[in-house]
Amino acid sequence: RKEQELDSKDAIILHQFSRPTNGVPSLSPFCLKMETYLRMADLPYQNYFDGKLSPQGKMPWIEYNHKKVSGTEFIIDFLEEKLGVNLNKHLGPHERAVSRAVTKMVEEHFYWTLAYCQWVENLHETQKMVSLFGPFSDLLKWILCHLTKGIVKREMYGHGIGRFSEEEMYTLMEKDMRTLAGLLGDKKYIMGPTVSTVDATVFGHLAQAMWTLPGTRPERLIKGELINLAMYCERIRRKFWPEWHHDHDNTLYESEESSEASKTYSPLQDFSFYSRTETFDEEGNSISQTPDTDYTGHSLFDSDVDMEEYRDHEQCK
């Protein structure tokens, strides 16, 4: 594939995996986290669905003024330094410490149980969501999904969580979800009435349980007993992703605040350039949209961890 030269002068270019076919922005918790953060911080950005990993073998990653940055934590630090944005400026030292602890629990522990559910137990359903086109798309989906399954199982074993039984892993997943539900309580966002960086992280992961794992234990849990997490996901989706419409929306998760905004939708599109300020008014109603013409995404790996085996596989091909 001939690479397109990108000009990142004073523009945030977000490299991420292509949109799945089920209307959800990403099957990757980290890609969804990063794009949600950019929307929360109201930073204009350009999506680039080339499937190309960063020099460190990471996804997502950004380019800004010809500087390449990968790893969501480092990306956020970089943007805070360069652009002066800070979603945590209202938090005190104790709240910042709690926020970081929650972030690490979600990204270093909860993530792996989600990855197991998505790429091992629920692989058949995940394969249907992968966006890949062409005469051999079904075969390529099968190959890539099973390759991902092997990588996830190997990485989980190296992490240590993959050495437990499936039932034990789901027990750990449930504990993490109950911890998040208890921490959220009846608050609007994790740390209180105002959105902070940790909300992008938590939403990016919980959204997978909410919308990409049909019929699984995490979906039943979030839409059943832990209903406050479902309402939290809906709250963020409707505020920061007004064009993301899910075919099976349930008004059970609507709050009084979000029910009015949910009456009209426009379909989720891939924007070649996206700015929340310029594209949506204060109520989140769509004003204008620019269709994306750049994407060629052919990748599906769903992690913010090293993917050395994937790159070796590509070289062999």
Side-chain angles (χ1 to χ4, degrees):
R1 215 165 40 232
K2 183 178 180 181
E3 294 188 11
Q4 178 179 341
E5 191 68 28
L6 297 177
D7 183 8
S8 62
K9 179 172 172 42
D10 297 326
I12 300 171
I13 298 174
L14 176 62
H15 295 259
Q16 61 168 315
F17 301 126
S18 56
R19 303 288 197 207
T21 60
N22 66 334
V24 175
S26 182
L27 292 177
S28 163
F30 293 98
C31 289
L32 183 53
K33 166 194 174 178
M34 196 65 249
E35 192 169 1
T36 300
Y37 170 84
L38 291 171
R39 291 175 177 230
M40 287 177 171
D42 203 8
L43 294 174
Y45 63 94
Q46 178 180 348
N47 273 319
Y48 200 66
F49 301 98
D50 57 351
K52 182 181 178 181
L53 302 177
S54 73
Q56 295 83 8
K58 299 278 193 176
M59 190 73 94
W61 56 288
I62 68 161
E63 292 181 80
Y64 181 77
N65 283 339
H66 307 292
K67 171 75 172 178
K68 298 179 180 180
V69 186
S70 67
T72 55
E73 184 171 356
F74 292 117
I75 292 172
I76 291 171
D77 289 345
F78 174 82
L79 294 175
E80 287 181 352
E81 178 185 350
K82 294 295 182 182
L83 302 178
V85 297
N86 190 348
L87 294 181
N88 296 334
K89 60 185 178 182
H90 62 286
L91 301 180
H94 175 74
E95 292 173 312
R96 288 171 185 257
V98 171
S99 177
R100 178 165 175 77
V102 172
T103 296
K104 293 301 107 179
M105 179 194 76
V106 170
E107 294 186 345
E108 306 296 339
H109 194 266
F110 180 49
Y111 163 75
W112 290 108
T113 57
L114 283 175
Y116 175 84
C117 190
Q118 187 173 63
W119 295 105
V120 179
E121 187 195 18
N122 210 44
L123 184 64
H124 181 69
E125 290 297 323
T126 301
Q127 185 175 322
K128 297 177 184 177
M129 303 177 198
V130 173
S131 179
L132 205 62
F133 304 98
F136 303 106
S137 59
D138 289 340
L139 176 61
L140 289 175
K141 284 182 184 181
W142 188 92
I143 293 173
L144 290 174
C145 284
H146 281 77
L147 176 63
T148 307
K149 176 182 177 179
I151 293 174
V152 167
K153 291 180 72 173
R154 187 201 69 195
E155 296 284 355
M156 289 183 68
Y157 191 84
H159 175 279
I161 197 170
R163 303 178 187 227
F164 297 113
S165 68
E166 180 178 294
E167 189 60 36
E168 288 171 328
M169 282 190 283
Y170 278 120
T171 297
L172 296 175
M173 170 188 279
E174 184 173 332
K175 286 183 177 181
D176 287 344
M177 293 182 71
R178 290 187 184 281
T179 297
L180 291 173
L183 183 63
L184 176 64
D186 59 359
K187 299 194 300 294
K188 188 173 183 180
Y189 300 111
I190 294 294
M191 301 308 297
T194 306
V195 72
S196 58
T197 302
V198 69
D199 291 298
T201 302
V202 174
F203 174 75
H205 287 73
L206 287 180
Q208 307 304 317
M210 185 81 174
W211 291 294
T212 72
L213 298 172
T216 61
R217 292 167 68 172
E219 186 203 47
R220 293 195 298 269
L221 192 60
I222 196 172
K223 293 183 177 180
E225 187 177 346
L226 306 181
I227 195 69
N228 66 328
L229 294 182
M231 295 177 68
Y232 168 80
C233 287
E234 280 291 346
R235 188 176 303 123
I236 291 178
R237 188 190 75 163
R238 293 170 190 267
K239 182 175 179 61
F240 298 104
W241 291 90
E243 79 282 16
W244 169 7
H245 172 49
H246 192 259
D247 291 337
H248 303 291
D249 280 331
N250 192 325
T251 54
L252 176 65
Y253 310 126
E254 291 181 359
S255 63
E256 183 177 343
E257 175 186 351
S258 65
S259 59
E260 189 67 26
S262 67
K263 291 181 180 178
T264 59
Y265 287 99
S266 56
L268 178 67
Q269 296 187 16
D270 299 328
F271 296 94
S272 59
F273 186 77
Y274 178 86
S275 170
R276 183 169 175 266
T277 300
E278 296 177 1
T279 311
F280 300 96
D281 62 21
E282 292 181 355
E283 283 72 38
N285 298 316
S286 177
I287 297 174
S288 63
Q289 297 176 340
T290 305
D292 180 18
T293 57
D294 287 336
Y295 73 95
T296 57
H298 289 284
S299 190
L300 57 111
F301 297 106
D302 128 339
S303 160
D304 198 21
V305 298
D306 293 334
M307 291 304 236
E308 200 65 40
E309 180 175 318
Y310 168 71
R311 291 196 292 184
D312 292 342
H313 175 75
E314 287 295 291
Q315 290 172 359
C316 290
K317 290 198 295 184

